[in-house]
Amino acid sequence: MGPRETRWLKRTVLIGLGGTGKEALLRVKKKYVEVFGEVPPLVRFLLIDTTPAATDAIHAEDPEGRTTEVSLEPNEVLFIEARGASMLPRTHDEIRQWFPPKADLKSNIISGAGQIRALGRLALFANAHCVYEGLRALLSQARDYLLERPAIEHRYVYRAYTPHLTVCVIGSLAGGTGSGIFLDVAMILRDILKDEDQLFGYLLLPDIYINRPGTQNVEANAYGALRELDYYMSLEGTHRYSFGGREIEVRKKPFDMVFLVNNRNRAGKTFNDIEHMAELLGLGAFLVSGPLGKEQADVFDNIVMQLTEQQGAFYGKRAHFASFGAAELRFRPEQVNLERARREASDALQRLFSADGREWGVTEFERKLHAVVTSELPKSDPLDVPRPTASRARSRDEECWRTAQEAFRRLEERACEESVELLKKEIARFEQELAGEIERSFGLYAIPSFLDGLEKLRTQAHELAQQLKRDLDDEQQRRKESDSKFAQQLPVQRRWFGRLRADDEEQPKVNRSTIQQRWEMARAIGHKEARWRAAFELEKALEQKIEELRWLQGAASEWLTRFAGQTQQAVAPTVKDVLPFTVTLPPPYLPQQSTSTGGTSDGLERLKQRGFAQLCENPERVLDEVFRPSAASSLRDWLIDVARRERSDYLREAVERALVELDALSAPAWDYQDAWLANPHVARREQVHIIGIEDKNDSLHPLLVGEFRKIFAGNVDATRKLAVVSTGDPKRIYLYKIEASIPAFTLQGIEMYRERYLDLSSDRSFHVDRQLEQHIPELVPVPSGEDAALIWTKAQLFGLIRYDSRTMTFQRRGQQDSSKEGWHELGRSLGQAFACFQRDFFGFKELESMVNERERGETRNRLPQLINSVREALDYSRKQLELANSSGNGTGYQTPEDRRVLEAQIAVLQRWQEELVSYRPPDREYKFPTLGAE
């Protein structure tokens, strides 16, 4: 097994809420299996739901084409149930403080929250300790340093390029569970996370659920949830509340960025299947963890930083919300080419690994084998082993002999070491020449021929090593016997009665001749041992080469078996999954022959060109590269071939259609009213497009140059912001678009959410806290009561609002006729008409503009008449209020709302009258002298 590739990721925690969160988490896991072949240890999952989900599973196809089942592990599911739920608001102090009085109750919450947001939150509070400790343990596990330690069971080495966490909360705003708990989960996470960690929300809007059975609350739920979210995202200072006896303190807004996702994107694509939206949420969460590489994560983090620090407001409403779009381009030509490639590979490997009777001659290497061990060895004395000196007296022979023997031993060692070093070079030269000959002969001879030749050489090396070992043993035995015999002659006899014996007068035995003879013998023994070791090393080297060839044969056989299985799966795939955000090339609807862009040559010849050394180093990679169809090896090369075709070519037209579809699918998954965001004095929107290709430095990639790139350009601004990142994946292209930020009230359909919310709020609650129902601001930028009363009163005086046929109406700009069609109905009573007027922001802004124009003209040209009209209107309003306050008057101003409108009108008219009376226009023109024209 070769070295494993390193994959850089974020330390990511993905938390799914409710049914939508569950489906999204399953699809994130599926994406990891498809791209990585496994779920990386740096990514953690947790589902919080009021419905058990342990048995839910979907299928995925790994990079080898194997089909596997993907599901959530038991430790990745936190089931929050509440038995006896109807008693909790009466017995639980924390819940009593917030539970809305108009919220419906259920006896038990064990199979969903029934689209009631307060019940979802109730189930969360009922399991407060388990939820808090579970989230804290999850974040602690995600920071574990062992996650970056290479593990045997993982395909890649995973590295985190930042120690900080990226946490994504995924759910829906439409139901009861996700919509009811997403804010609490975010605030609990804020309480646990570090300031450097990032927290993102991925929230699905309700349109996908509209008109389905049992979904009458989805729009109102979403509106209530968006109001609460907008309120907390705008809240300054620290927010505290009690959760399970623990004080939750939030010093930051709930999310660093909130991504709203709808079933219609900015390109007009509509998705009507809930699973499709889960696929998009899963793809977005998959990409945010950084599988596109470190560059993609840096780009994304920079965008988040810009958006979170963005200043400005739209009509007084802060822009907190973003969206994203994502799509994937897959290169899948296997159905066209893999079967042909399998047959070609099978034929080539059969010829390479089957005996063909041809003999690979090794006569020359037999000679070289003997030449290595018989090479001439140095006879010079080692500098670090001095030659011993002869004895000067018979009485000193023993001492000198002991010293000499130590020198002889060192000489044997050093002579052997120096000779081994020299022979190693000869052995290396032999191995190099042998490898070169195999490399040159590779493809000309079958592997069994190489094995036979190498086995012959190994046998000779073994016999040579045995012979040299016998010679060495014989020489060492002779040396031992000679030394023993010589040592017996060394002892000197002692004095006898004061006289020396005759032996004491003899010459020393350890003389120069003895030392020279023994010195040469020690050098010879050292050389013999070196030659034996060299022969033994040659035998081991040849044995290793034989094992390498046998291992190669087995590896090639395993590869061919696996390749055949992949081919069968590719031609007849078993996973029948709908991938709405995936575009496939070559287009599957085209005939197979029309999608091919190049031919192939003989497989064995291509293998020969790669060389024997590369094949042995990594047979799986080489065989993949050689025998995978050339058209399937690289999307880049295939697209280059397609781009060279004429524009009228059928294949090129089909590819361009696919790229246009990819661009449209990746449009941000929401829609909004541009008219709300066109004011140049407010905050700007950020649009960033990220394209992930194999190598961002590839200046010739067809999606970065030429005609294909124009498809992704969009406009000048989008072109400038197109960020290119490297994926290292030759068969996938990712297109990822982020758009931010806008206020929630600009969303397409928000008025429908609001209308549904207002219609149903009279008898039920769509909030998760009783205090929020009355105190949080409106989501839409309605004018304040004072501003509305001011324009309302002045518009009546100027005839822009009038009472006609028992109905109050107002006139829009550009419709200055007296016909009924030019006037828009507000209501039949003052209170009803004023409330309708205050809710109509567009109408308010139009009347404000017209009122200001009329007031400037009347003040300048007819000030006395204007003062008189204001006085009459003030008197009339006071009389109407007096009548309204008297009982039984039959005036029609009987409701408190009517009387409040009259009171507001009177206050406006009083202030206006005072302003007009004190107004002093200039009595003469101010003309500063200027230099006149010549």
Side-chain angles (χ1 to χ4, degrees):
M1 182 178 180
R4 288 181 290 174
E5 181 182 349
T6 298
R7 291 295 182 101
W8 291 83
L9 295 174
K10 288 183 178 181
R11 288 181 177 268
T12 308
V13 178
L14 303 176
I15 301 175
L17 307 179
T20 300
K22 174 194 66 179
E23 295 297 331
L25 292 188
L26 288 173
R27 281 155 179 83
V28 178
K29 277 197 165 186
K30 173 187 171 185
K31 287 300 300 179
Y32 277 117
V33 171
E34 288 177 348
V35 177
F36 292 84
E38 62 188 358
V39 177
L42 293 178
V43 184
R44 296 282 160 167
F45 298 83
L46 179 66
L47 171 66
I48 304 177
D49 199 1
T50 54
T51 302
T55 59
D56 292 359
I58 58 176
H59 290 88
E61 183 180 296
D62 67 12
E64 282 73 37
R66 295 186 296 262
T67 300
T68 182
E69 193 174 78
V70 176
S71 62
L72 294 173
E73 301 296 330
N75 62 347
E76 294 174 339
V77 178
L78 179 55
F79 176 39
I80 51 173
E81 63 177 0
R83 299 183 182 275
S86 59
M87 297 292 294
L88 284 171
R90 288 183 284 174
T91 61
H92 197 293
D93 291 340
E94 287 180 353
I95 295 175
R96 184 186 305 112
Q97 293 176 4
W98 60 259
F99 194 82
K102 292 190 295 184
D104 294 335
L105 275 170
K106 293 174 63 176
S107 299
N108 299 298
I109 304 175
I110 56 176
S111 59
Q115 292 188 38
I116 301 173
R117 298 184 64 224
L119 292 187
R121 193 183 194 207
L122 187 146
L124 191 77
F125 270 71
N127 296 270
H129 177 77
C130 181
V131 169
Y132 190 92
E133 295 302 326
L135 289 174
R136 183 162 65 176
L138 177 68
L139 299 182
S140 177
Q141 294 167 9
R143 300 184 196 276
D144 192 341
Y145 76 98
L146 289 176
L147 298 179
E148 292 186 69
R149 294 287 177 90
I152 296 176
E153 65 270 19
H154 289 303
R155 295 164 58 96
Y156 301 101
V157 175
Y158 295 99
R159 298 290 304 277
Y161 49 83
T162 172
H164 311 310
L165 295 182
T166 296
V167 183
C168 301
V169 177
I170 311 169
S172 166
L173 296 180
T177 302
S179 180
I181 69 175
F182 77 98
L183 276 170
D184 284 291
V185 170
M187 292 177 183
I188 295 168
L189 289 169
R190 282 293 194 209
D191 190 61
I192 304 173
L193 289 170
K194 300 177 181 178
D195 288 340
E196 299 83 1
D197 298 327
Q198 292 179 320
L199 179 57
F200 301 135
Y202 289 79
L203 305 175
L204 180 62
L205 292 170
D207 296 53
I208 188 70
Y209 300 101
I210 295 174
N211 297 326
R212 296 174 185 268
T215 58
Q216 64 275 9
N217 291 343
V218 294
E219 296 156 290
N221 277 341
Y223 191 79
L226 285 172
R227 281 188 69 184
E228 294 168 2
L229 178 59
D230 190 70
Y231 170 72
Y232 284 113
M233 292 289 284
S234 305
L235 199 61
E236 302 290 342
T238 301
H239 174 66
R240 296 182 180 88
Y241 71 100
S242 180
F243 181 75
R246 184 191 307 271
E247 184 179 77
I248 302 297
E249 181 177 277
V250 183
R251 299 178 300 277
K252 298 172 65 176
K253 56 187 180 181
F255 298 99
D256 292 299
M257 183 55 61
V258 177
F259 293 96
L260 299 179
V261 176
N262 213 339
N263 69 327
R264 179 181 178 184
N265 69 15
R266 288 291 285 172
K269 295 283 185 181
T270 301
F271 305 94
N272 295 314
D273 197 319
I274 297 173
E275 284 72 21
H276 294 174
M277 302 314 302
E279 188 79 28
L280 178 60
L281 289 168
L283 182 57
F286 168 75
L287 294 176
V288 79
S289 64
L292 298 187
K294 185 177 186 302
E295 303 99 323
Q296 180 265 357
D298 289 342
V299 171
F300 185 84
D301 292 345
N302 291 337
I303 294 169
V304 172
M305 183 62 67
Q306 294 173 27
L307 298 179
T308 54
E309 295 180 354
Q310 179 173 283
Q311 300 298 318
F314 295 85
Y315 302 102
K317 292 292 183 178
R318 298 295 299 272
H320 297 301
F321 302 102
S323 190
F324 75 93
E328 174 188 7
L329 178 68
R330 288 187 185 179
F331 189 50
R332 296 294 300 268
E334 290 84 356
Q335 295 181 8
V336 179
N337 300 318
L338 276 178
E339 180 58 29
R340 174 183 52 79
R342 185 197 64 78
R343 290 194 300 266
E344 186 180 38
S346 178
D347 176 69
L349 296 180
Q350 177 72 18
R351 290 159 56 192
L352 183 62
F353 289 103
S354 297
D356 57 3
R358 301 178 61 196
E359 183 179 354
W360 178 54
V362 293
T363 304
E364 180 65 18
F365 285 98
E366 290 177 333
R367 184 189 63 78
K368 292 180 178 180
L369 185 69
H370 287 274
V372 168
V373 296
T374 58
S375 301
E376 185 175 353
L377 299 176
K379 296 183 179 180
S380 58
D381 293 344
L383 297 178
D384 56 345
V385 184
R387 187 181 294 234
T389 57
S391 175
R392 296 181 180 179
R394 183 77 173 84
S395 60
R396 300 194 57 182
D397 275 354
E398 279 190 287
E399 180 182 352
C400 288
W401 181 244
R402 285 194 299 272
T403 302
Q405 278 191 311
E406 180 61 26
F408 299 150
R409 185 189 62 79
R410 284 286 298 141
L411 176 61
E412 286 184 21
E413 292 177 354
R414 292 295 295 126
C416 180
E417 290 172 0
E418 290 183 353
S419 300
V420 164
E421 291 301 317
L422 289 175
L423 291 173
K424 278 183 179 180
K425 296 178 181 178
E426 296 298 321
I427 293 172
R429 186 177 297 110
F430 175 84
E431 289 183 298
Q432 185 177 4
E433 291 176 356
L434 181 63
E437 181 60 27
I438 294 176
E439 190 74 40
R440 285 189 295 272
S441 303
F442 178 60
L444 301 177
Y445 295 92
I447 295 299
S449 298
F450 290 125
L451 286 171
D452 291 342
L454 290 172
E455 186 63 40
K456 185 184 295 185
L457 289 175
R458 189 198 67 79
T459 300
Q460 292 197 13
H462 177 73
E463 294 174 352
L464 186 57
Q466 287 185 323
Q467 180 60 47
L468 290 172
K469 186 65 169 67
R470 287 193 293 271
D471 292 346
L472 173 63
D473 291 343
D474 292 344
E475 189 69 18
Q476 289 176 336
Q477 182 63 30
R478 287 194 295 271
R479 188 264 325 267
K480 182 178 180 181
E481 293 174 354
S482 175
D483 287 353
S484 177
K485 183 176 180 180
F486 184 75
Q488 294 176 1
Q489 304 175 18
L490 294 181
V492 179
Q493 297 183 7
R494 299 185 179 278
R495 292 176 183 273
W496 184 258
F497 297 109
R499 290 182 295 123
L500 289 173
R501 293 175 59 88
D503 291 346
D504 294 332
E505 297 175 358
E506 293 179 0
Q507 293 296 322
K509 298 289 185 181
V510 186
N511 52 34
R512 291 182 179 179
S513 175
T514 302
I515 288 176
Q516 177 64 25
Q517 180 183 3
R518 185 62 182 81
W519 186 258
E520 294 298 331
M521 180 182 289
R523 180 186 290 112
I525 291 175
H527 288 173
K528 286 181 179 291
E529 184 173 355
R531 296 183 192 280
W532 164 67
R533 290 187 181 182
F536 182 71
E537 289 299 321
L538 281 170
E539 181 185 0
K540 287 202 306 184
L542 290 165
E543 197 169 287
Q544 183 177 355
K545 181 64 72 174
I546 291 170
E547 288 301 316
E548 183 180 15
L549 287 176
R550 288 174 177 164
W551 172 81
L552 176 62
Q553 189 168 5
S557 177
E558 291 179 4
W559 176 89
L560 186 59
T561 301
R562 187 167 57 253
F563 186 37
Q566 295 170 4
T567 301
Q568 184 177 4
Q569 285 194 349
V571 174
T574 57
V575 178
K576 305 293 185 182
D577 198 2
V578 176
L579 301 174
F581 298 94
T582 299
V583 177
T584 302
L585 288 180
Y589 59 85
L590 292 184
Q592 294 182 1
Q593 61 270 20
S594 67
T595 62
S596 178
T597 58
T600 58
S601 60
D602 180 72
L604 187 57
E605 183 63 27
R606 295 201 310 276
L607 196 60
K608 178 182 176 182
Q609 291 173 2
R610 293 301 298 268
F612 179 76
Q614 287 193 34
L615 181 62
C616 288
E617 181 181 355
N618 194 329
E620 183 172 341
R621 185 191 65 191
V622 171
L623 291 171
D624 272 342
E625 293 174 354
V626 169
F627 292 112
R628 296 283 180 181
S630 58
S633 61
S634 171
L635 171 60
R636 170 194 182 274
D637 296 339
W638 189 83
L639 283 175
I640 287 177
D641 288 336
V642 172
R644 291 171 181 159
R645 297 192 176 201
E646 296 292 332
R647 293 186 61 87
S648 59
D649 181 81
Y650 190 53
L651 177 58
R652 175 162 175 169
E653 289 180 353
V655 169
E656 289 183 349
R657 283 196 298 271
L659 295 178
V660 169
E661 178 72 3
L662 179 74
D663 187 61
L665 287 173
S666 62
W670 64 4
D671 200 6
Y672 52 81
Q673 301 178 68
D674 296 277
W676 288 105
L677 307 174
N679 193 327
H681 301 294
V682 296
R684 63 188 293 269
R685 280 167 291 161
E686 191 77 24
Q687 296 182 8
V688 177
H689 298 177
I690 302 173
I691 185 170
I693 63 174
E694 181 180 5
D695 181 8
K696 71 173 184 178
N697 298 315
D698 183 0
S699 60
L700 299 179
H701 196 286
L703 295 187
L704 302 183
V705 296
E707 296 294 325
F708 288 159
R709 184 179 188 273
K710 297 178 182 178
I711 295 173
F712 303 120
N715 54 54
V716 174
D717 192 50
T719 304
R720 179 173 56 85
K721 295 186 177 183
L722 182 65
V724 184
V725 300
S726 300
T727 66
D729 192 335
K731 296 185 180 181
R732 279 184 173 87
I733 299 292
Y734 294 106
L735 197 55
Y736 185 47
K737 299 178 183 179
I738 303 172
E739 184 174 28
S741 49
I742 66 169
F745 74 87
T746 67
L747 288 170
Q748 193 74 39
I750 195 71
E751 284 296 332
M752 184 172 59
Y753 304 168
R754 184 169 181 258
E755 181 180 345
R756 188 67 174 166
Y757 169 86
L758 294 174
D759 289 344
L760 300 177
S761 293
S762 59
D763 59 352
R764 69 189 73 173
S765 175
F766 297 100
H767 289 283
V768 295
D769 194 325
R770 64 171 67 198
Q771 299 177 9
L772 297 178
E773 291 184 333
Q774 301 297 328
H775 298 97
I776 59 174
E778 257 293 355
L779 198 61
V780 297
V782 296
S784 66
E786 291 185 0
D787 291 342
L790 178 67
I791 301 303
W792 163 269
T793 304
K794 291 183 177 182
Q796 287 185 86
L797 188 136
F798 292 133
L800 301 174
I801 295 179
R802 70 188 184 186
Y803 186 73
D804 182 26
S805 301
R806 299 184 177 273
T807 301
M808 300 203 73
T809 59
F810 79 97
Q811 190 176 41
R812 288 204 182 270
R813 181 180 292 276
Q815 297 176 342
Q816 305 296 329
D817 58 67
S818 58
S819 66
K820 187 176 182 181
E821 288 76 13
W823 293 77
H824 297 263
E825 184 175 330
L826 289 172
R828 292 185 174 274
S829 68
L830 278 178
Q832 183 183 23
F834 182 79
C836 180
F837 168 73
Q838 190 175 8
R839 290 196 300 266
D840 187 351
F841 183 75
F842 288 119
F844 167 80
K845 296 299 289 183
E846 287 188 26
L847 280 177
E848 181 184 45
S849 176
M850 290 190 287
V851 163
N852 290 337
E853 290 178 9
R854 290 287 300 274
E855 185 176 8
R856 284 193 297 269
E858 296 293 334
T859 303
R860 184 173 58 251
N861 301 320
R862 301 175 58 193
L863 181 60
Q865 294 89 333
L866 179 60
I867 294 175
N868 186 55
S869 296
V870 171
R871 184 181 297 112
E872 292 178 358
L874 180 59
D875 292 341
Y876 177 78
S877 296
R878 285 171 174 167
K879 290 179 181 179
Q880 295 299 316
L881 182 60
E882 290 177 3
L883 292 173
N885 289 330
S886 64
S887 60
N889 53 70
T891 61
Y893 304 123
Q894 297 298 315
T895 65
E897 290 78 10
D898 296 339
R899 290 191 285 272
R900 281 195 290 269
V901 173
L902 287 170
E903 291 170 353
Q905 287 180 184
I906 292 171
V908 169
L909 290 168
Q910 286 177 335
R911 290 194 301 271
W912 196 11
Q913 183 180 26
E914 294 171 0
E915 293 171 2
L916 292 174
V917 170
S918 61
Y919 176 72
R920 291 293 182 267
D923 54 2
R924 65 176 179 269
E925 294 183 359
Y926 177 76
K927 293 184 178 180
F928 194 85
T930 60
L931 180 64
E934 294 183 359

